[in-house]
Amino acid sequence: MIVILKENAPKEQVKALLAEFEAQNLTIHYSKGERSTLFGLVGDTAHIDMEKVLANDVVADVRRISEPYKAANRRMHPEDTIVEVCGRKIGAGYFSVIAGPCSVESQSQMEMVAESVKASGAAFLRGGAFKPRTSPYSFQGLEVEGLKLLSAAKKATGLPIVTEIMSENQLDEFEDVDIIQVGARNMQNFRLLKELGHCRKPILLKRGLANTIEELLMSAEYILAGGNSQVIFCERGIRTFETCIRNNLDISAIPVLKRQSHLPVIVDPSHAAGNTWMIQSLSRAAIAAGADGLMIEVHNNPPAALCDGAQSLDMPQFAALMTDLKRRVEFEGLELQG
Amino acid sequence: MIVILKENAPKEQVKALLAEFEAQNLTIHYSKGERSTLFGLVGDTAHIDMEKVLANDVVADVRRISEPYKAANRRMHPEDTIVEVCGRKIGAGYFSVIAGPCSVESQSQMEMVAESVKASGAAFLRGGAFKPRTSPYSFQGLEVEGLKLLSAAKKATGLPIVTEIMSENQLDEFEDVDIIQVGARNMQNFRLLKELGHCRKPILLKRGLANTIEELLMSAEYILAGGNSQVIFCERGIRTFETCIRNNLDISAIPVLKRQSHLPVIVDPSHAAGNTWMIQSLSRAAIAAGADGLMIEVHNNPPAALCDGAQSLDMPQFAALMTDLKRRVEFEGLELQG
Amino acid sequence: MIVILKENAPKEQVKALLAEFEAQNLTIHYSKGERSTLFGLVGDTAHIDMEKVLANDVVADVRRISEPYKAANRRMHPEDTIVEVCGRKIGAGYFSVIAGPCSVESQSQMEMVAESVKASGAAFLRGGAFKPRTSPYSFQGLEVEGLKLLSAAKKATGLPIVTEIMSENQLDEFEDVDIIQVGARNMQNFRLLKELGHCRKPILLKRGLANTIEELLMSAEYILAGGNSQVIFCERGIRTFETCIRNNLDISAIPVLKRQSHLPVIVDPSHAAGNTWMIQSLSRAAIAAGADGLMIEVHNNPPAALCDGAQSLDMPQFAALMTDLKRRVEFEGLELQG
Amino acid sequence: MIVILKENAPKEQVKALLAEFEAQNLTIHYSKGERSTLFGLVGDTAHIDMEKVLANDVVADVRRISEPYKAANRRMHPEDTIVEVCGRKIGAGYFSVIAGPCSVESQSQMEMVAESVKASGAAFLRGGAFKPRTSPYSFQGLEVEGLKLLSAAKKATGLPIVTEIMSENQLDEFEDVDIIQVGARNMQNFRLLKELGHCRKPILLKRGLANTIEELLMSAEYILAGGNSQVIFCERGIRTFETCIRNNLDISAIPVLKRQSHLPVIVDPSHAAGNTWMIQSLSRAAIAAGADGLMIEVHNNPPAALCDGAQSLDMPQFAALMTDLKRRVEFEGLELQG
């Protein structure tokens, strides 16, 4: 961390500030120039509040040199982390596809879709029981009933299930869930993240629509710091000025996350695109860029879907997509799970 | 709502779609052109899921004409709403300033700041007991103890209190709070919003960093639809490409919200700026643009603040600011509360 | 400028790098820590190419401490610059309103609008002769004929004229223009900026839709570095994720530009809003935030305007607006020009 | 195009508006509801100025249904366009790599790099003679001398050359250039685009940092409307809120442009990334997503580069990259040119 002092900062106050840092076991490198004076702080600076330093009268600016995340940092953990669930692996060369409808609607639907996506090569079944909807007048999900239908589909097909949690209150209800998803809008719901740090299930952490990659890493840090080391990142498109598509899939998030962290990264092309015709192209790009998996919306009858029908593939479309993607997973030397 | 059909859409399917809309008591205006055919839907379209319509094979595009919010819409409620708390009014010509530290730190701090901001003209005391922090290693607030210190400061000074809630679990603990704040990161925490719809306290709803004004209105709709009509909007800066300031105060949100909705709008210049030197300029602009109030961070000793020190005014700075702002509130013909 | 070295950077290469900087008359402050080593460069660093430093094998990161602009920097020129044109001043307490149609359409139009805005209190007449249009099928302006109509209106009313240049080729044709406007899309047309540095007319430099304030300052630097010290900044809204308005007026650009630079700043609420109903609110905010002037679109018959009719005030609307704004300019202690 | 009328719009005025559209040979579909009345316009609406319609007193809103671009539209030209230059093809299954330094620096440099990239499989040589730099104090290119060095390198190696034009003034100087590049900052330099419409060379049109895909298509339309049908799009990253990378490569621009237009699309991973370590990942993604080519910066000695050294591969790195990319081009069934 580098602290830049104001011109003509009174010596007494500067000394007091330096003493404060020394008391925190930080080594100080002081550097006085003609126009500007600065010092570098060396040691464990992750706990330093930059805002607080900046509030000091003698400080002109503060810059962080090292990353503020530790447990999620590849420096601290050079090997790729593999998240393993019910015998399926994600990360470090193992590639998994999560598929299913946006929302759980009925038992027959879930069983039909689960059977179909399994046959096509999906490793996990997704389905929303609790739905975060922009409008209070939209379908909000089957809630606890939806979780039961997911469990039934899991029992019928053997596919482990992935579903979204909305609040730390719900953890008990999620006992039968295999991977707990944190949605984009909850990426910085810190109370939820803290509780997930204490549970022993893998967490699929979606990036918020306008959250930086560093913020995503810091949210993972909340979970890891609590003792849960099984976090999977999910890039699902970011909000920009562009209006002709719903969100812009941030393809560069894949190499950045892989370089900065050891945790697996999957991509959700369905939410990024908001339509079906772009899913193949984005899925291919994600695999080529180094993703460890994909999460794709599949519905038995998209025009009748209670949620996100416009972006849901039907079952034959998904089967065709998987045929294409399998060739690509193999080309990359990855091992498809499922 | 306008539905644009694909070229050469099969008549049978189009008929089925039209029948579906008629079953929802919507009037249909069909319009067939040479290259494109479209129809307008008239009636209560707030319940229609655009995604679902778009998922239909014969549909090329769907556009919403009327706003998807109803209770928050000025069309439905042409008069300005006044939120009244402990004898202080916000909205329709009544202007209130909320002031206090980012986080509650100690009893002496809260009493000192509360006395001071009251003397300077603030109508409400703010202070965070539960702090949403990007890093798990940062100070997370005094939590329940912080709420007690806020209550004590209220008792000592008579200033009603405003503080942020993090989860629907906490509602019981917030009984003594006068205005419950929903933070930017929770603007789309729909479970929290639903619960707040059932409580009988005014809600200060902050706009998310990258949420559209329509999404903000829809989040208010969650609270209003639940039966709680006391919602105050808070614009606090949006996330853009600009890097030299923390967030861009969206000054146009004030006239837009005032036009589209009847609910009061306040502005938080402290979080937008992320520094102290811009607060006067932004506060002045907010008053001139039509805001109903301001929320400003004030600390007894900013360089020692446990949170957001860089953007906190000290008490004399706040007093000087209020002297300036009072003249402006009067110039606008507003009635300062406090 | 701070250069952070890679861990285990070979001494030989570091030495070579340091020698390179010393050869540029920079003083080096070297600071070696346990995990990271860095050095600060003191002296005239505006000429250093950060990219080039970053390309060095031993360099992990580079951060600029001091601003890369010099002539536009308030540090180098603490007093406010006043731009004076035909007896009207802009900056340092002098406030000017520029008004007129988006595009010059006819002699009768220009004379009618010029007379009217002059009577209402405008100090300058604007009007586009060359129009940058997104579509090649839209009206592109009357071009040289438009410049003549502007000159005629100036002769008839005495109002100095402001109009947009599209290319460095046109400078000869702009001899009779009083303030040359650089449009948002040309803010980084560096060949044009260089030529404008050699001319002796004031330049109204509009901020690009997605350009940072630092980039705007650097574009001004091009003009100033060429010897032309009369630059006026114009904030006209930035492009963000918000879709319900055309652009977001960046109100914070006013205090930032005023702090970082000595040059005057005006605001164009018409292009930011893209409608007429928001103009009063944004104009009021701009004055309160510290702007030195406003540029407002006024048309004799907006529904018949060949360009930007939706955002043009008609002449009575502008007169009413000016009555309101005059009170506000006076309240701020500014001297209205015209 | 759909025009939504205001409630209680006077019949006379509505009639006048309808008459205006009929006079433009547009068919009108009128649709009157209880609360809102609207009409659809069918015919050639590309010439209609939405702003003008919106300025009409009786109009509440206007929405475009069909795209405003015609010549660039795939509807008008269903087959992929192939741009052919000196025997190399781009588009419709032909894949080309353009490589070379950011800026032309010397004859020895250009010959060395040209030989090397040719040997590695590049089909075109790039190099900037005129450099658009944010700072007036940065290296601005060798200008006309740079063009001569490019020609010499072309003569020596047979590689056709690609270089950036800055102004319509320069067209004569660009006679020996094979593909004229329009830089991101000039994407809406409409005078330049118009002139390029009259020349007979292929144009590489880079997307602006914050320009929508529709705006990019409209800029191509300027060139096509002038009679030049050889336009190649180049996606080079967009500006967003993310700060840890320079720009976000918009991978979805590839499928969108391919669907909406018949023109080829290439990707510039170097400018998007702003570093070297991300180039492989982004290049792979671009090929998989359907790009028709890549433009990559290669320098003989990146740390000594006068421009953009941090993102330039050295020659062995490029050779290694090409080995990887050739396998991928082949996997996609594309034919590598060169």
Side-chain angles (χ1 to χ4, degrees), chain D residues 1-288:
Chain D
M1 188 171 283
I2 289 166
V3 179
I4 300 139
L5 296 176
K6 285 186 185 159
E7 291 182 63
N8 309 317
K11 278 189 185 173
E12 288 300 296
Q13 280 177 262
V14 175
K15 267 190 189 168
L17 181 62
L18 295 176
E20 219 177 279
F21 288 122
E22 280 166 344
Q24 294 174 58
N25 276 323
L26 296 165
T27 309
I28 294 170
H29 293 269
Y30 192 82
S31 162
K32 188 167 168 43
E34 276 157 82
R35 263 184 50 207
S36 64
T37 300
L38 53 89
F39 53 86
L41 294 175
V42 178
D44 181 5
T45 58
H47 293 83
I48 297 184
D49 186 343
M50 285 174 67
E51 292 290 318
K52 193 176 165 182
V53 179
L54 205 48
N56 194 297
D57 262 358
V58 300
V59 172
D61 208 352
V62 185
R63 312 282 173 96
R64 202 175 267 289
I65 300 300
S66 55
E67 298 86 5
Y69 41 93
K70 298 192 290 190
N73 200 326
R74 191 177 278 278
R75 284 181 196 246
M76 305 297 163
H77 188 302
E79 308 272 291
D80 280 351
T81 283
I82 299 175
V83 173
E84 189 165 352
V85 197
C86 310
R88 279 109 171 140
K89 295 175 180 171
I90 305 177
Y94 299 100
F95 191 93
S96 287
V97 176
I98 303 168
C102 175
S103 63
V104 176
E105 295 171 13
S106 71
Q107 187 170 349
S108 63
Q109 172 221 27
M110 286 315 295
E111 290 183 3
M112 195 190 313
V113 175
E115 286 297 352
S116 174
V117 301
K118 186 185 176 187
S120 298
F124 293 87
L125 176 67
R126 62 149 288 158
F130 302 88
K131 299 301 306 173
R133 304 302 299 273
T134 304
S135 168
Y137 309 122
S138 299
F139 175 59
Q140 308 275 322
L142 294 184
E143 311 204 331
V144 178
E145 179 59 23
L147 292 178
K148 286 184 195 151
L149 298 180
L150 276 169
S151 291
K154 174 184 171 182
K155 206 167 285 174
T157 60
L159 282 186
I161 54 181
V162 182
T163 196
E164 181 171 351
I165 197 166
M166 304 278 281
S167 164
E168 68 276 17
N169 290 354
Q170 301 174 305
L171 266 168
D172 289 346
E173 298 164 1
F174 274 60
E175 213 173 313
D176 199 36
V177 172
D178 299 292
I179 299 181
I180 298 179
Q181 176 181 321
V182 176
R185 293 180 186 79
N186 274 321
M187 193 200 93
Q188 292 193 315
N189 183 336
F190 300 117
R191 280 176 83 89
L192 174 58
L193 298 178
K194 281 180 194 173
E195 284 306 313
L196 295 175
H198 300 132
C199 89
R200 288 294 159 271
K201 285 178 185 296
I203 309 300
L204 182 64
L205 180 63
K206 291 190 118 181
R207 180 181 181 186
L209 267 81
N211 283 108
T212 63
I213 292 176
E214 188 173 295
E215 287 170 343
L216 176 59
L217 286 158
M218 292 308 289
S219 287
E221 193 78 12
Y222 263 93
I223 302 169
L224 298 169
N228 184 351
S229 61
Q230 300 180 80
V231 175
I232 304 160
F233 293 118
C234 181
E235 161 63 32
R236 44 80 70 224
I238 57 172
R239 184 166 271 187
T240 73
F241 60 83
E242 179 61 65
T243 53
C244 81
I245 49 171
R246 193 202 279 160
N247 293 123
N248 287 74
L249 183 71
D250 182 11
I251 198 78
S252 48
I254 303 170
V256 173
L257 285 168
K258 287 292 195 183
R259 183 182 168 98
Q260 299 301 112
S261 180
H262 49 89
L263 297 167
V265 180
I266 73 164
V267 165
D268 173 351
S270 305
H271 280 86
N275 61 48
T276 53
W277 59 265
M278 222 191 282
I279 288 175
Q280 182 175 50
S281 178
L282 298 183
S283 298
R284 289 172 167 187
I287 296 171

Side-chain angles (χ1 to χ4, degrees), chain C residues 147-182:
Chain C
L147 292 178
K148 286 183 195 153
L149 297 179
L150 275 169
S151 292
K154 175 185 172 181
K155 207 169 284 173
T157 61
L159 283 185
I161 53 180
V162 182
T163 196
E164 181 171 351
I165 197 167
M166 304 279 280
S167 163
E168 68 277 16
N169 290 354
Q170 301 175 306
L171 265 168
D172 289 345
E173 298 164 0
F174 274 60
E175 213 173 313
D176 199 37
V177 172
D178 299 292
I179 299 180
I180 299 179
Q181 177 181 320
V182 176

Side-chain angles (χ1 to χ4, degrees), chain A residues 201-222:
Chain A
K201 285 179 184 295
I203 308 300
L204 182 65
L205 181 62
K206 291 189 119 181
R207 180 181 181 185
L209 267 81
N211 284 109
T212 62
I213 292 177
E214 187 172 295
E215 287 170 343
L216 175 60
L217 286 158
M218 291 308 289
S219 286
E221 193 77 13
Y222 263 93

Side-chain angles (χ1 to χ4, degrees), chain A residues 73-146:
Chain A
N73 200 324
R74 189 177 279 277
R75 283 179 196 248
M76 305 295 164
H77 187 304
E79 307 273 289
D80 280 351
T81 284
I82 299 174
V83 173
E84 189 165 354
V85 197
C86 309
R88 277 106 171 144
K89 294 175 181 170
I90 306 177
Y94 299 99
F95 191 93
S96 288
V97 176
I98 303 169
C102 176
S103 63
V104 176
E105 296 171 14
S106 71
Q107 189 170 348
S108 63
Q109 172 221 28
M110 287 314 295
E111 288 184 2
M112 195 191 312
V113 175
E115 286 296 353
S116 173
V117 300
K118 186 186 176 185
S120 298
F124 294 88
L125 176 67
R126 62 149 287 156
F130 302 89
K131 298 301 307 172
R133 305 301 299 272
T134 304
S135 168
Y137 310 121
S138 300
F139 174 60
Q140 308 275 321
L142 294 184
E143 309 203 333
V144 179
E145 179 58 23

Side-chain angles (χ1 to χ4, degrees), chain B residues 19-243:
Chain B
E20 220 177 276
F21 288 123
E22 280 166 344
Q24 295 174 55
N25 277 322
L26 296 166
T27 309
I28 294 170
H29 293 271
Y30 192 84
S31 163
K32 190 169 166 43
E34 275 157 82
R35 264 184 50 208
S36 63
T37 300
L38 53 90
F39 53 86
L41 294 175
V42 178
D44 181 5
T45 57
H47 294 82
I48 298 184
D49 186 344
M50 286 172 66
E51 292 290 318
K52 193 176 164 181
V53 179
L54 204 49
N56 194 298
D57 262 358
V58 299
V59 173
D61 207 352
V62 185
R63 312 280 173 98
R64 201 176 267 289
I65 300 299
S66 56
E67 298 86 6
Y69 42 92
K70 298 193 289 190
N73 200 325
R74 190 178 278 278
R75 283 178 196 248
M76 305 297 165
H77 188 303
E79 308 271 289
D80 280 351
T81 284
I82 298 175
V83 172
E84 191 165 352
V85 197
C86 310
R88 278 108 172 142
K89 293 174 181 171
I90 306 177
Y94 299 100
F95 191 93
S96 288
V97 177
I98 304 168
C102 175
S103 63
V104 177
E105 295 171 13
S106 71
Q107 189 171 349
S108 62
Q109 174 222 25
M110 286 314 295
E111 289 184 2
M112 195 191 311
V113 175
E115 286 297 353
S116 174
V117 300
K118 186 187 176 184
S120 299
F124 294 86
L125 176 67
R126 63 150 286 155
F130 302 88
K131 300 300 308 171
R133 304 302 299 273
T134 305
S135 167
Y137 309 121
S138 299
F139 174 61
Q140 308 273 321
L142 293 183
E143 310 204 332
V144 179
E145 179 59 23
L147 291 178
K148 285 183 194 153
L149 297 180
L150 275 169
S151 292
K154 174 184 174 180
K155 207 168 283 173
T157 60
L159 283 186
I161 53 182
V162 182
T163 196
E164 181 172 351
I165 197 166
M166 303 279 280
S167 164
E168 68 276 16
N169 290 354
Q170 301 175 306
L171 265 168
D172 289 346
E173 297 164 0
F174 274 60
E175 213 173 313
D176 199 36
V177 172
D178 299 293
I179 299 180
I180 298 179
Q181 177 182 320
V182 176
R185 292 179 186 78
N186 273 322
M187 193 200 92
Q188 292 194 314
N189 182 335
F190 300 118
R191 280 175 83 88
L192 173 58
L193 298 178
K194 280 180 194 173
E195 283 306 314
L196 294 175
H198 301 134
C199 89
R200 288 296 161 267
K201 285 180 186 296
I203 308 300
L204 183 65
L205 180 63
K206 291 189 118 181
R207 180 180 181 186
L209 267 81
N211 284 109
T212 63
I213 292 176
E214 188 171 294
E215 287 170 343
L216 176 60
L217 286 157
M218 292 308 289
S219 286
E221 193 78 14
Y222 263 93
I223 301 169
L224 297 168
N228 184 352
S229 62
Q230 300 181 79
V231 174
I232 304 160
F233 292 118
C234 181
E235 161 62 32
R236 44 78 74 223
I238 57 172
R239 184 166 270 186
T240 73
F241 60 84
E242 179 62 66
T243 53

Side-chain angles (χ1 to χ4, degrees), chain C residues 180-217:
Chain C
I180 299 179
Q181 177 181 320
V182 176
R185 292 180 186 79
N186 273 322
M187 193 200 91
Q188 292 193 314
N189 182 335
F190 300 118
R191 281 175 82 88
L192 173 58
L193 298 178
K194 280 181 196 173
E195 284 306 313
L196 295 175
H198 300 134
C199 89
R200 289 294 161 269
K201 286 179 185 295
I203 308 300
L204 183 65
L205 180 62
K206 291 189 119 182
R207 180 181 181 186
L209 268 80
N211 283 109
T212 64
I213 292 177
E214 188 172 295
E215 287 170 343
L216 175 60
L217 286 158

